[in-house]
Amino acid sequence: KKNSQWSANCPNDWINLNVGGTIFSTTRSTLIGRETNSMLAKMFQDSKQWRNTVDGNGNVLLDRCPKYFEPILGYLRHGKMIIEPSIDPRGVLEEANFFGMMTVAKQVQNIIRERKKENYEEPLT
Amino acid sequence: KKNSQWSANCPNDWINLNVGGTIFSTTRSTLIGRETNSMLAKMFQDSKQWRNTVDGNGNVLLDRCPKYFEPILGYLRHGKMIIEPSIDPRGVLEEANFFGMMTVAKQVQNIIRERKKENYEEPLT
Amino acid sequence: KKNSQWSANCPNDWINLNVGGTIFSTTRSTLIGRETNSMLAKMFQDSKQWRNTVDGNGNVLLDRCPKYFEPILGYLRHGKMIIEPSIDPRGVLEEANFFGMMTVAKQVQNIIRERKKENYEEPLT
Amino acid sequence: KKNSQWSANCPNDWINLNVGGTIFSTTRSTLIGRETNSMLAKMFQDSKQWRNTVDGNGNVLLDRCPKYFEPILGYLRHGKMIIEPSIDPRGVLEEANFFGMMTVAKQVQNIIRERKKENYEEPLT
Amino acid sequence: KKNSQWSANCPNDWINLNVGGTIFSTTRSTLIGRETNSMLAKMFQDSKQWRNTVDGNGNVLLDRCPKYFEPILGYLRHGKMIIEPSIDPRGVLEEANFFGMMTVAKQVQNIIRERKKENYEEPLT
């Protein structure tokens, strides 16, 4: 009874996600709009096939790390993959792979490479 | 019925924003006072034309990144564009563009340029 | 009816502040004890003259940035002006000026000067 | 009566942990899947033998530091031990030892060694 | 009536602290176990003599900075004084002194000295 039931206290398109204990508010169109073939998009495209589990407040439960999920949600909102210097991009890569977001995964791998390069160059100068 | 209805548990001018899951408390005068022609100002100037969606607690929903929205709200409060060293200014630029805040966008672009310059200069010394 | 009414679920001297969406719990004696002539002290000295607005939970609303207000509240508690390296002191200066805390403002300006000096010296070595 | 009773507002496999005041949402299979012989795994394998204390909201109480527990939960989710640069790995080691996670403890000790090495090398260049 | 009454929604030994607005969940044995003669230990040893004030949710109120209290609670849990690089140890010292924790204060003073030394050495190389 609790499955596949969108957050009750969110109007129409709005969805609250409970990612590992942290609540993110967003819209269905944001989640499905950019990487249409990803598992994440599919989870919110067809509520019948995917039986997303919701918590007692109607937030869709995702057993993932909120810190690493955040830049992915940012990308879905505005299309730029931005990872703060304080966040380890390898954690974001785990999320991208888990949700089957191939374009995102490639961009994160580039960021991992760039940061490694920067760290190697520093002691050389 | 849930649309265009200001936060019930906030007196007169006060507005609670739910930005991607994080709650910001502020006033209507702060939101409309500084960049009068921006989309953000317009969203709170005329509650009839703009039908802002609110969550179950009466907070106006914005499907944006709280981390990058925060310095913009700070600017609307005190007039200085301050971006912490831990925040990537490119994320703030996305917000400024989204809300149509042209003066803010220019200031953020200057900050992006300055930080790039600093990073280039470091390996040169 | 909602104005000038101290937080109901806080015993005697305790006050909950809602600073831009973040809740700070403190006491009236902390807020008025150190800089007696500041606007902040006056806001909590005479509840009749200052009609502080409270939110639905009885927290006194302040339309300011919690990040920059935090070190000021710390100063009021223990008397030391400590600003974390991750916090831009210019933001704290805005708060000190807004609340008319002149001694604090001077200390923050010293911190701003010291940090600038440190940044200038670094590329010189 | 409050002991050994799984979080009521979480469906089937889901568990809410209250780690030192911070709530983490995860699943029983995540907690017991990777290090089956650890104390943490045992705490959630047999709810009869281990009488986990829960708070008033049904969250399992753990008197530990959330900051240092977080990377351990991340490891249990995706199998990578990632510690942000802002987190002191010695704190994570305390958690790994407390929960009897030997594989994790070894990985954290390696990270401690690597970071020390990096810090020693820096002044040499 | 609200004084000296332990948090109602916490079973037996568990205590919720409201430190300046942030909630920490811990146990009485953690708070009194390590530095038995400190004021903090005494506040929770004899609930009759110390009349701790609690908020509307039964959390014991402490008008202190949560950021600086956190490493002290960590020490009480596992016995190691760990202060993240992002936290100014002078703030932690204020807490240690306030709560009359002399062993902790000495350790924090050592950390302050070490960090100063590191900062002085850097420009010399």
Side-chain angles (χ1 to χ4, degrees):
Chain A
K1 193 168 136 219
K2 280 243 168 107
N3 286 359
S4 299
Q5 163 193 324
W6 303 113
S7 185
N9 58 350
C10 259
N12 39 57
D13 198 39
W14 281 86
I15 286 167
N16 282 332
L17 305 173
N18 176 340
V19 182
T22 301
I23 306 301
F24 293 95
S25 298
T26 188
T27 52
R28 215 166 77 96
S29 43
T30 291
L31 292 168
I32 68 178
R34 222 170 277 270
E35 288 223 19
T36 2
N37 290 320
S38 70
M39 188 186 87
L40 187 70
K42 278 173 190 155
M43 281 174 73
F44 295 93
Q45 267 159 7
D46 185 359
S47 62
K48 269 171 204 154
Q49 207 169 8
W50 287 81
R51 316 207 70 199
N52 298 315
T53 308
V54 295
D55 68 17
N57 299 315
N59 311 312
V60 176
L61 280 155
L62 294 172
D63 188 12
R64 308 297 304 168
C65 300
K67 224 176 231 177
Y68 302 134
F69 179 76
E70 198 181 34
I72 284 177
L73 184 54
Y75 166 81
L76 293 174
R77 281 178 180 135
H78 50 62
K80 300 268 163 66
M81 193 66 232
I82 300 175
I83 304 177
E84 306 293 313
S86 63
I87 297 296
D88 194 319
R90 291 175 300 163
V92 186
L93 185 61
E94 290 299 322
E95 299 301 316
N97 285 335
F98 178 82
F99 288 115
M101 303 173 84
M102 291 311 127
T103 321
V104 173
K106 271 175 203 166
Q107 292 188 50
V108 179
Q109 281 167 329
N110 285 337
I111 292 173
I112 294 174
R113 246 174 261 129
E114 281 167 37
R115 292 207 186 169
K116 265 190 190 157
K117 225 178 112 185
E118 283 170 27
N119 288 334
Y120 277 121
E121 278 175 1
E122 265 176 57
L124 290 173
T125 52
Chain B
K1 194 167 134 216
K2 280 245 169 104
N3 286 0
S4 299
Q5 166 193 321
W6 302 114
S7 183
N9 59 350
C10 258
N12 39 56
D13 198 40
W14 282 85
I15 286 167
N16 283 330
L17 305 173
N18 176 339
V19 183
T22 301
I23 306 301
F24 293 95
S25 298
T26 189
T27 52
R28 216 167 76 94
S29 43
T30 290
L31 291 168
I32 69 178
R34 223 170 274 272
E35 289 222 20
T36 1
N37 290 320
S38 70
M39 189 185 87
L40 187 70
K42 280 174 189 153
M43 281 174 74
F44 295 93
Q45 268 159 6
D46 185 359
S47 62
K48 271 172 203 155
Q49 207 170 9
W50 288 81
R51 316 207 69 198
N52 298 314
T53 308
V54 295
D55 67 17
N57 300 314
N59 311 312
V60 176
L61 281 156
L62 295 172
D63 187 12
R64 308 298 305 169
C65 299
K67 224 177 230 176
Y68 302 135
F69 180 76
E70 199 181 34
I72 283 177
L73 185 53
Y75 166 80
L76 292 175
R77 282 178 180 134
H78 51 61
K80 300 270 164 66
M81 192 66 231
I82 301 174
I83 303 176
E84 306 293 313
S86 62
I87 297 297
D88 193 320
R90 290 175 301 165
V92 185
L93 185 61
E94 290 300 322
E95 299 301 315
N97 285 335
F98 178 82
F99 288 115
M101 304 173 85
M102 290 311 126
T103 321
V104 173
K106 272 174 202 164
Q107 293 188 50
V108 179
Q109 280 167 331
N110 285 337
I111 293 172
I112 294 174
R113 246 174 261 128
E114 282 167 35
R115 292 208 185 167
K116 264 190 192 157
K117 226 178 112 185
E118 284 169 26
N119 287 335
Y120 276 121
E121 278 174 1
E122 265 176 57
L124 290 173
T125 53
Chain C
K1 194 166 133 217
K2 279 242 167 107
N3 286 1
S4 298
Q5 168 193 319
W6 302 113
S7 183
N9 60 349
C10 258
N12 39 57
D13 199 39
W14 281 87
I15 286 167
N16 283 330
L17 305 173
N18 176 339
V19 183
T22 302
I23 305 301
F24 293 95
S25 298
T26 188
T27 53
R28 215 166 76 95
S29 43
T30 291
L31 291 168
I32 69 178
R34 224 170 274 271
E35 289 220 21
T36 2
N37 290 319
S38 71
M39 189 184 87
L40 187 70
K42 280 174 188 153
M43 282 174 73
F44 295 93
Q45 269 159 6
D46 186 359
S47 62
K48 271 171 202 154
Q49 209 170 7
W50 287 81
R51 317 207 70 198
N52 298 314
T53 308
V54 296
D55 67 17
N57 298 315
N59 311 311
V60 176
L61 280 156
L62 294 172
D63 187 12
R64 307 298 304 169
C65 300
K67 225 178 227 174
Y68 302 135
F69 180 77
E70 199 181 34
I72 283 178
L73 184 55
Y75 166 80
L76 292 175
R77 282 177 180 136
H78 51 60
K80 300 267 165 68
M81 193 65 232
I82 301 174
I83 303 177
E84 306 294 313
S86 63
I87 297 296
D88 193 320
R90 291 175 300 164
V92 186
L93 184 61
E94 291 299 321
E95 299 300 315
N97 286 334
F98 178 82
F99 287 115
M101 305 174 86
M102 290 310 127
T103 321
V104 173
K106 272 174 202 165
Q107 293 188 51
V108 178
Q109 281 168 330
N110 285 337
I111 293 173
I112 293 174
R113 244 174 262 128
E114 282 167 36
R115 291 207 185 167
K116 265 190 191 157
K117 225 178 113 185
E118 285 169 26
N119 287 335
Y120 276 122
E121 278 174 1
E122 265 177 56
L124 289 174
T125 52
Chain D
K1 194 168 132 216
K2 280 245 167 106
N3 287 359
S4 298
Q5 166 193 320
W6 303 114
S7 185
N9 59 350
C10 258
N12 39 57
D13 197 39
W14 282 87
I15 286 167
N16 283 331
L17 306 172
N18 176 340
V19 183
T22 302
I23 306 302
F24 293 96
S25 298
T26 187
T27 53
R28 215 166 77 94
S29 43
T30 291
L31 291 168
I32 69 178
R34 222 169 276 269
E35 288 221 20
T36 1
N37 290 320
S38 70
M39 188 185 88
L40 188 70
K42 279 173 190 155
M43 282 174 73
F44 295 93
Q45 267 158 7
D46 185 358
S47 62
K48 271 171 202 155
Q49 207 169 8
W50 287 81
R51 315 208 71 198
N52 298 316
T53 308
V54 295
D55 68 17
N57 299 315
N59 310 312
V60 176
L61 279 156
L62 295 172
D63 187 12
R64 306 297 305 167
C65 299
K67 224 177 230 178
Y68 302 133
F69 180 76
E70 198 181 34
I72 284 177
L73 184 55
Y75 166 81
L76 293 174
R77 282 178 180 135
H78 51 61
K80 299 268 164 67
M81 193 66 232
I82 300 175
I83 304 177
E84 304 295 312
S86 63
I87 296 296
D88 194 320
R90 292 175 300 163
V92 185
L93 185 61
E94 291 299 321
E95 300 301 315
N97 285 335
F98 178 83
F99 287 115
M101 304 175 85
M102 290 311 127
T103 322
V104 173
K106 271 174 203 165
Q107 292 189 50
V108 178
Q109 281 168 329
N110 286 337
I111 293 173
I112 293 175
R113 243 174 263 129
E114 281 167 37
R115 290 208 186 169
K116 265 190 191 156
K117 225 178 113 185
E118 283 170 26
N119 287 333
Y120 276 120
E121 279 176 1
E122 265 177 55
L124 290 172
T125 52
Chain E
K1 193 167 132 219
K2 280 243 168 107
N3 286 0
S4 297
Q5 167 193 318
W6 302 113
S7 184
N9 59 350
C10 258
N12 40 55
D13 198 38
W14 282 87
I15 286 167
N16 283 331
L17 305 173
N18 175 339
V19 183
T22 302
I23 306 302
F24 293 95
S25 299
T26 187
T27 53
R28 215 165 78 93
S29 43
T30 291
L31 291 169
I32 69 178
R34 221 169 276 270
E35 288 221 20
T36 0
N37 291 319
S38 70
M39 188 185 87
L40 188 70
K42 280 174 189 153
M43 281 174 71
F44 295 93
Q45 268 159 8
D46 186 358
S47 63
K48 272 171 202 154
Q49 208 170 7
W50 288 83
R51 317 207 70 199
N52 298 315
T53 308
V54 296
D55 68 17
N57 298 315
N59 310 312
V60 177
L61 279 157
L62 294 172
D63 187 12
R64 307 298 304 167
C65 299
K67 224 177 231 177
Y68 302 134
F69 180 78
E70 199 180 34
I72 284 177
L73 184 55
Y75 166 81
L76 294 173
R77 281 178 180 134
H78 50 61
K80 300 268 165 66
M81 193 65 232
I82 301 174
I83 303 178
E84 305 294 314
S86 63
I87 296 296
D88 194 320
R90 292 174 301 163
V92 186
L93 185 60
E94 291 299 321
E95 300 300 315
N97 285 334
F98 179 83
F99 287 115
M101 304 174 84
M102 291 310 127
T103 321
V104 173
K106 272 174 203 165
Q107 293 188 49
V108 179
Q109 281 168 331
N110 286 338
I111 293 173
I112 294 174
R113 244 174 263 129
E114 282 167 36
R115 291 208 185 167
K116 265 190 191 157
K117 226 178 112 184
E118 284 170 26
N119 287 334
Y120 276 121
E121 279 175 359
E122 264 177 56
L124 289 173
T125 53

